[in-house]
Amino acid sequence: MKVVSTSKSHGGIQGVYSHASEACACDMTFAVFVPPQAKDGPPPVLWYLSGLTCTHANVMDKGEYRRLASELGLVIVCPDTSPRGPDVPDEKDNWQFGCGAGFYLDATEQPYAQNYRMYSYITEELPALVAANFPVDMSRQAIFGHSMGGHGALTIALKDPERFKSCSAFAPIVQPSTAGWSRPAFEKYLGADEKGWRAYDTTLLVEDGKRFPELLVDQGTADGFLQDGLRPWLLEEACKKAGIALTLRMQDGYDHSYNFISTFMDDHLKWHAARLG
Amino acid sequence: MKVVSTSKSHGGIQGVYSHASEACACDMTFAVFVPPQAKDGPPPVLWYLSGLTCTHANVMDKGEYRRLASELGLVIVCPDTSPRGPDVPDEKDNWQFGCGAGFYLDATEQPYAQNYRMYSYITEELPALVAANFPVDMSRQAIFGHSMGGHGALTIALKDPERFKSCSAFAPIVQPSTAGWSRPAFEKYLGADEKGWRAYDTTLLVEDGKRFPELLVDQGTADGFLQDGLRPWLLEEACKKAGIALTLRMQDGYDHSYNFISTFMDDHLKWHAARLG
């Protein structure tokens, strides 16, 4: 692991790191914020998964998580959203596929299957690297994310509810297998047989019996992707049927940007801190 | 004035606007945050001047001012740092001169005198535009800034202490006329006669009798520009001699970045809010 940069912030350290990823067969960059409490023992760790087009840097720059993470004593890990590099197959000018659009799944189709393995990267390789290199209590993990990263957080938590004490999302893509901006990517990554897509679709995972005790979701009413891409009512319906305690908050006048995320960041950090103990 | 974008944030509106500037003879862009309190009457206005290489966007994205500005009821105006555009003379690849490096002065030398008039822009043209287009109480103004923008805030407040209820700075350039990163710019903008530079140098303004009742300055000890460019001890000395109540806080381990600024943003907002009433 290589240290790209470190900088003191709100009493803790905001760092950026890179490493040669085995899962993604390329160099990967990620950000970790370590709060001042780490000197007294390993704090819990909260994973933040970002949305389409983002790198580790967007939420690090604009998410406004450090002040409260410092108060609450949370390590915040912000991974990249896809493999990157000259050898990684991509579709330039398509922001919904390829670089910046990994969708937190393991691709099965060529030529993507070698690099686009973000599910393995986020659930196995990066946690092992973080556990080995940072002061973190891996018995206390939580996960959240935005948009495509909300999809990532929800699907990952549903498939491993024992590992995460809590899960939340900002404006998540709750049914990527039917949304216009994600269907084409799913087909290219996972093939035409939609059975294989169910493992990466929140509402279908719930339909197939996966459970997480409670979820917090914030959604802006002025979000331009609300009607076609996000459709939180599909999650509401699935959770109602399954008995999952979903707190869905429609936030009046908020859009899809980091202005929305940063406004409700404090609420999400408090939600997770209360459950991480 | 043209609305570039608006987005709800922390209950207020973060907007970006552009206009044809007379002072700078080019189009200029700036950001304004209007807190929710504006619906009950015009709030006070706090000017934030940014540092070298920045536009209006850096502090808007990374400054973390909206949460508390919303609580305290402050309008925050973030101007650009220089004129820009194809017709504006510039030195490409020189980050200490030209675009992004206006130094908040009115240039007297050719070919810069037509565009590089940031002093007039910040003290006259933009306030008039803001007063005409936003809900602001112009009888309650305050000013702060970072680095080159700290220099801007201090010099502007010293020359017009009646207008500003308070002034503060993050890692300001306190004596630009002798600092290596600003001397060449001063010579190009203002000519070789250093007498003309005194009006744009905080310590020399104080030496020449300009006064501001009290100042708050934060400075990181791990700031790479501390010894050569910033030298807050020069301000300390000048304020001591002049009887200006300077609160200079050396912040252990902090660098020159927005991680430093955002960490102490709350303190500065509270400082100004207390004095703006």
Side-chain angles (χ1 to χ4, degrees):
Chain A
M1 193 185 78
K2 209 175 78 181
V3 179
V4 176
S5 67
T6 62
S7 177
K8 191 167 174 182
S9 182
H10 292 279
I13 299 293
Q14 178 63 65
V16 178
Y17 309 89
S18 71
H19 67 120
S21 164
E22 206 175 304
C24 298
C26 67
D27 286 346
M28 293 290 281
T29 303
F30 61 100
V32 179
F33 177 71
V34 176
Q37 290 86 344
K39 68 178 190 308
D40 305 319
V45 55
L46 175 55
W47 298 84
Y48 180 92
L49 305 185
S50 291
L52 285 163
T53 77
C54 290
T55 68
H56 68 283
N58 302 65
V59 71
M60 181 179 79
D61 289 346
K62 305 183 190 178
E64 303 190 12
Y65 57 77
R66 282 175 291 270
R67 178 187 50 80
L68 196 60
S70 239
E71 258 181 67
L72 299 171
L74 301 171
V75 168
I76 313 280
V77 184
C78 306
D80 202 346
T81 57
S82 77
R84 290 175 198 273
D87 302 329
V88 174
D90 188 18
E91 291 184 5
K92 284 200 200 315
D93 307 323
N94 183 355
W95 64 279
Q96 298 169 345
F97 182 77
C99 284
F103 279 98
Y104 305 101
L105 51 75
D106 282 354
T108 55
E109 301 303 292
Q110 291 310 330
Y112 308 109
Q114 198 199 348
N115 300 105
Y116 287 84
R117 300 185 64 239
M118 287 300 291
Y119 186 77
S120 292
Y121 178 70
I122 296 290
T123 61
E124 292 171 26
E125 186 178 17
L126 191 55
L129 190 77
V130 165
N133 288 282
F134 296 89
V136 283
D137 178 357
M138 296 298 276
S139 73
R140 291 186 292 159
Q141 295 185 60
I143 191 163
F144 68 152
H146 171 235
S147 196
M148 178 183 74
H151 142 76
L154 291 167
T155 52
I156 287 170
L158 279 166
K159 287 192 272 188
D160 199 354
E162 297 300 313
R163 178 168 158 192
F164 299 101
K165 304 286 186 206
S166 50
C167 174
S168 75
F170 304 98
I173 303 176
V174 303
Q175 197 175 85
S177 62
T178 63
W181 61 1
S182 41
R183 267 192 70 84
F186 270 48
E187 185 158 354
K188 280 179 246 183
Y189 288 137
L190 299 171
D193 183 354
E194 296 190 26
K195 275 205 287 302
W197 303 11
R198 300 184 72 87
Y200 301 110
D201 183 303
T202 296
T203 60
L204 300 181
L205 281 167
V206 171
E207 200 175 291
D208 290 347
K210 300 293 184 189
R211 294 292 180 268
F212 200 83
E214 47 178 353
L215 300 169
L216 169 64
V217 170
D218 275 313
Q219 171 64 57
T221 62
D223 187 324
F225 302 109
L226 178 56
Q227 294 297 329
D228 291 332
L230 300 168
R231 305 166 296 168
W233 47 86
L234 297 176
L235 179 64
E236 204 168 27
E237 204 181 291
C239 286
K240 201 174 168 188
K241 272 190 202 162
I244 294 172
L246 168 68
T247 303
L248 171 62
R249 309 190 308 180
M250 298 303 290
Q251 302 289 3
D252 185 51
Y254 286 90
D255 61 24
H256 200 63
S257 75
Y258 281 89
N259 285 322
F260 159 65
I261 299 171
S262 62
T263 297
F264 300 102
M265 180 58 77
D266 279 13
D267 290 352
H268 286 245
L269 294 183
K270 286 175 193 162
W271 169 275
H272 292 289
R275 285 151 184 85
L276 286 163
Chain B
M1 193 184 78
K2 209 175 78 182
V3 179
V4 177
S5 66
T6 61
S7 177
K8 190 168 177 182
S9 181
H10 293 278
I13 299 293
Q14 178 64 65
V16 178
Y17 309 89
S18 71
H19 67 120
S21 164
E22 205 176 307
C24 298
C26 67
D27 285 346
M28 293 290 282
T29 303
F30 62 100
V32 178
F33 177 71
V34 176
Q37 290 86 345
K39 69 179 188 306
D40 304 319
V45 55
L46 175 54
W47 298 83
Y48 180 93
L49 304 184
S50 290
L52 286 163
T53 76
C54 290
T55 69
H56 68 282
N58 302 66
V59 71
M60 182 179 79
D61 288 346
K62 304 182 190 179
E64 302 188 13
Y65 58 75
R66 282 175 290 270
R67 180 187 49 80
L68 197 59
S70 240
E71 258 182 68
L72 298 171
L74 301 171
V75 168
I76 313 280
V77 184
C78 306
D80 202 346
T81 57
S82 77
R84 292 174 197 274
D87 301 329
V88 174
D90 188 18
E91 291 183 4
K92 284 200 199 318
D93 306 325
N94 183 357
W95 63 279
Q96 297 168 346
F97 183 77
C99 284
F103 279 99
Y104 304 102
L105 51 76
D106 282 354
T108 55
E109 302 303 292
Q110 292 308 331
Y112 308 110
Q114 199 200 348
N115 302 104
Y116 287 85
R117 301 185 65 240
M118 287 300 291
Y119 186 77
S120 292
Y121 178 70
I122 297 290
T123 61
E124 293 170 27
E125 186 177 17
L126 191 55
L129 191 76
V130 166
N133 288 281
F134 296 89
V136 283
D137 178 357
M138 296 299 276
S139 73
R140 292 186 291 159
Q141 294 185 61
I143 191 164
F144 68 152
H146 171 236
S147 197
M148 179 182 74
H151 142 75
L154 291 167
T155 52
I156 287 170
L158 279 166
K159 287 192 272 190
D160 199 354
E162 297 301 312
R163 178 168 158 191
F164 299 100
K165 305 285 186 205
S166 51
C167 173
S168 75
F170 304 98
I173 303 176
V174 303
Q175 196 174 86
S177 62
T178 64
W181 60 1
S182 40
R183 265 192 72 83
F186 270 47
E187 186 159 354
K188 279 178 247 184
Y189 289 136
L190 300 171
D193 182 356
E194 295 191 25
K195 275 205 287 301
W197 303 11
R198 299 184 72 88
Y200 302 110
D201 184 304
T202 296
T203 60
L204 300 181
L205 281 167
V206 172
E207 202 176 289
D208 291 346
K210 299 293 183 192
R211 294 292 181 268
F212 201 84
E214 48 177 352
L215 300 168
L216 169 64
V217 170
D218 275 312
Q219 171 63 58
T221 63
D223 187 324
F225 302 109
L226 179 55
Q227 295 296 329
D228 292 333
L230 301 168
R231 305 166 299 168
W233 46 87
L234 298 176
L235 179 63
E236 203 167 28
E237 207 180 289
C239 287
K240 202 175 167 186
K241 273 190 199 160
I244 293 171
L246 168 68
T247 303
L248 171 62
R249 311 191 304 181
M250 298 302 291
Q251 301 290 3
D252 186 50
Y254 285 90
D255 60 26
H256 199 64
S257 75
Y258 282 88
N259 285 322
F260 159 65
I261 299 170
S262 63
T263 298
F264 300 103
M265 180 57 77
D266 279 13
D267 290 353
H268 286 245
L269 295 183
K270 285 176 193 160
W271 169 275
H272 291 289
R275 285 152 183 83
L276 286 163

